[in-house]
Amino acid sequence: MELKSTFSTLILVILIYGCSNSDQDILRMTNNRLQKITTVSYQAKIEKFDSYSVELISSDSSSVFFDFNCNDSIIGAKYLFSEHKRDMGFDGSTAFYTIKEKKQLIYKSVNSYDDLSPSVLNYSILQIRNLLPQMLRDTSFLINRQSDTIINKTQCDQYTIALHNQEIGFDGKLTESHNSLNTRDDNGDFHYKLIIDKKENLPKQFIVYSYKKTPYRIVSFSNFNFSPKIDISDLNYTKRDPDFVKTSSIELEIAQQKSFPTISTNAKDWSLPSMAGNTIQLSKLNSNLILLEFWFPGCKGCAAAIPDLNAIQKKYKSKGLQVFGIEYTREDSIGLAAYISKMKIEFPTLYSAKEMARDYKISVAPTYFLINNQDKVVYKRIGFLREELINEIEKNLK
């Protein structure tokens, strides 16, 4: 009886161990397949959901090309993403994107990963290729294999991934969380799912979950081709799109700054609803100085500035500074109250500001304006520069 019990226990251990090995083997086979790729093209479908209403916000498709023979030390690959309205590429030293409707191409020299547009690479094959070796060796990843699933008539393995106080960065490496997106739950955990085609051992879907553990972003992969035919000149911004106007990113930023209401000119009046339930109108404000921040949920730069803006409001409120955050991408306030609470935004938030944002020539976030008590613009800046902003506030509150 005792021998039978021991034998049964041994069989159970072997089964559990074998199952565990099998799970790891699937990830290893997928990793091996991705590491051996030299060039690849595929179709990517990106679906984005609102974290609060769980409604589909957008669904975009891209034709993607990667060349992993690239010798650059930045990402180790050249790439081209082609969409209906734009192309985005990197030739190993220079990145570019096009605005097809305007026949415009913007380019910039790349010296580090930060010089690229990271969101382009988010949950791409490059990112998953960088991610899998870490998943196989790093105990920070809490990985669980789920029941098999079928996607587009394809049998797939699926794995849930949990990370505590760390998130998957744009480069596919772990990064410390700054609570900058709507994807960390109340325990500080980030949740993902990797779905793998059983037959091909290739990624089928990568899912990022919101703090509600509902899909925040779903990226689907299809039509892999490992010997793609691509005109290499499409990666060279100087040779492609001969009828497009080519502009450097530095020239574009200068043009954007100039397009703002100029310093010392009157700021155009506006009236916007507040999350407090009242309406705020610029011309009726009785303040020595007004700071406007144009932002939207999920903007990393906006989120990073929140603690400093909270502190700035507290320090200078008694001297006549009023701070307003202006959410300019939405028509209504659905989901904003939960986001504001989660991100601990302490200054008033205004919304339904699309028309105002057009008047103020807002194209990126965060963007800041200081307006004095004569309704004149005294400071404008794309991006948050703490010391510069504080100096301007103090100068204009004297």
Side-chain angles (χ1 to χ4, degrees), residues 278-338:
N278 59 331
T279 298
I280 304 295
Q281 186 170 348
L282 174 63
S283 58
K284 293 182 179 180
L285 290 173
N286 185 23
S287 303
N288 292 334
L289 194 62
I290 296 162
L291 172 61
L292 306 179
E293 181 201 39
F294 290 87
W295 68 278
F296 60 86
C299 162
K300 284 202 168 190
C302 308
I306 289 170
D308 285 319
L309 291 176
N310 287 340
I312 285 170
Q313 177 188 239
K314 288 177 182 176
K315 182 175 181 179
Y316 297 102
K317 186 176 181 179
S318 62
K319 296 182 180 181
L321 174 71
Q322 273 193 279
V323 180
F324 294 100
I326 300 176
E327 202 296 316
Y328 69 97
T329 66
R330 303 182 180 203
E331 298 290 351
D332 53 42
S333 63
I334 294 174
L336 281 183

Side-chain angles (χ1 to χ4, degrees), residues 13 30 40-41 52 80 85 105 127 215 232-235 239 247 285 326 331 352 366 370:
V13 169
T30 303
V40 63
S41 67
Y52 302 96
L80 180 66
K85 293 184 178 180
L105 184 150
Q127 189 190 52
I232 203 66
S233 65
D234 284 345
L235 289 173
K239 294 181 179 180
T247 309
L285 290 173
I326 300 176
E331 298 290 351
S352 293
L370 277 175

Side-chain angles (χ1 to χ4, degrees), residues 8 16 18 24 30 96-97 100 105 114 128 131 143 176 202 209 232 240 269 274 313 342 351 353 364 370:
S8 298
I16 292 172
Q24 289 285 307
T30 303
F96 70 87
Y97 68 91
K100 294 179 181 178
L105 184 150
D114 291 337
I128 296 174
L131 179 66
I143 303 169
E176 292 298 319
L202 289 169
Y209 288 92
I232 203 66
R240 56 173 291 140
D269 196 19
S274 165
Q313 177 188 239
K342 185 176 177 69
Y351 61 95
V364 294
L370 277 175

Side-chain angles (χ1 to χ4, degrees), residues 38-156:
T38 54
T39 59
V40 63
S41 67
Y42 62 91
Q43 292 295 123
K45 181 181 179 182
I46 303 101
E47 298 169 282
K48 299 178 184 177
F49 298 82
D50 187 283
S51 299
Y52 302 96
S53 67
V54 200
E55 293 180 355
L56 179 66
I57 299 173
S58 64
S59 179
D60 300 304
S61 296
S62 296
S63 296
V64 184
F65 168 78
F66 277 106
D67 179 359
F68 295 106
N69 292 310
C70 182
N71 293 321
D72 88 290
S73 58
I74 299 168
I75 62 170
K78 299 176 183 178
Y79 65 74
L80 180 66
F81 287 71
S82 297
E83 299 177 355
H84 176 63
K85 293 184 178 180
R86 62 176 183 169
D87 289 349
M88 296 154 286
F90 174 59
D91 67 1
S93 61
T94 305
F96 70 87
Y97 68 91
T98 65
I99 306 172
K100 294 179 181 178
E101 185 180 18
K102 295 182 179 180
K103 291 194 171 183
Q104 190 175 12
L105 184 150
I106 293 88
Y107 64 91
K108 70 185 299 184
S109 295
V110 176
N111 298 307
S112 70
Y113 190 84
D114 291 337
D115 291 331
L116 292 166
S117 177
S119 60
V120 174
L121 301 172
N122 215 12
Y123 316 118
S124 65
I125 286 300
L126 172 70
Q127 189 190 52
I128 296 174
R129 190 174 188 257
N130 291 340
L131 179 66
L132 274 167
Q134 297 174 84
M135 287 175 59
L136 289 165
R137 68 171 182 266
D138 192 335
T139 55
S140 298
F141 290 87
L142 301 178
I143 303 169
N144 285 301
R145 186 177 177 185
Q146 304 294 301
S147 301
D148 292 355
T149 188
I150 296 175
I151 298 176
N152 296 332
K153 300 180 180 179
T154 302
Q155 193 82 13
C156 298

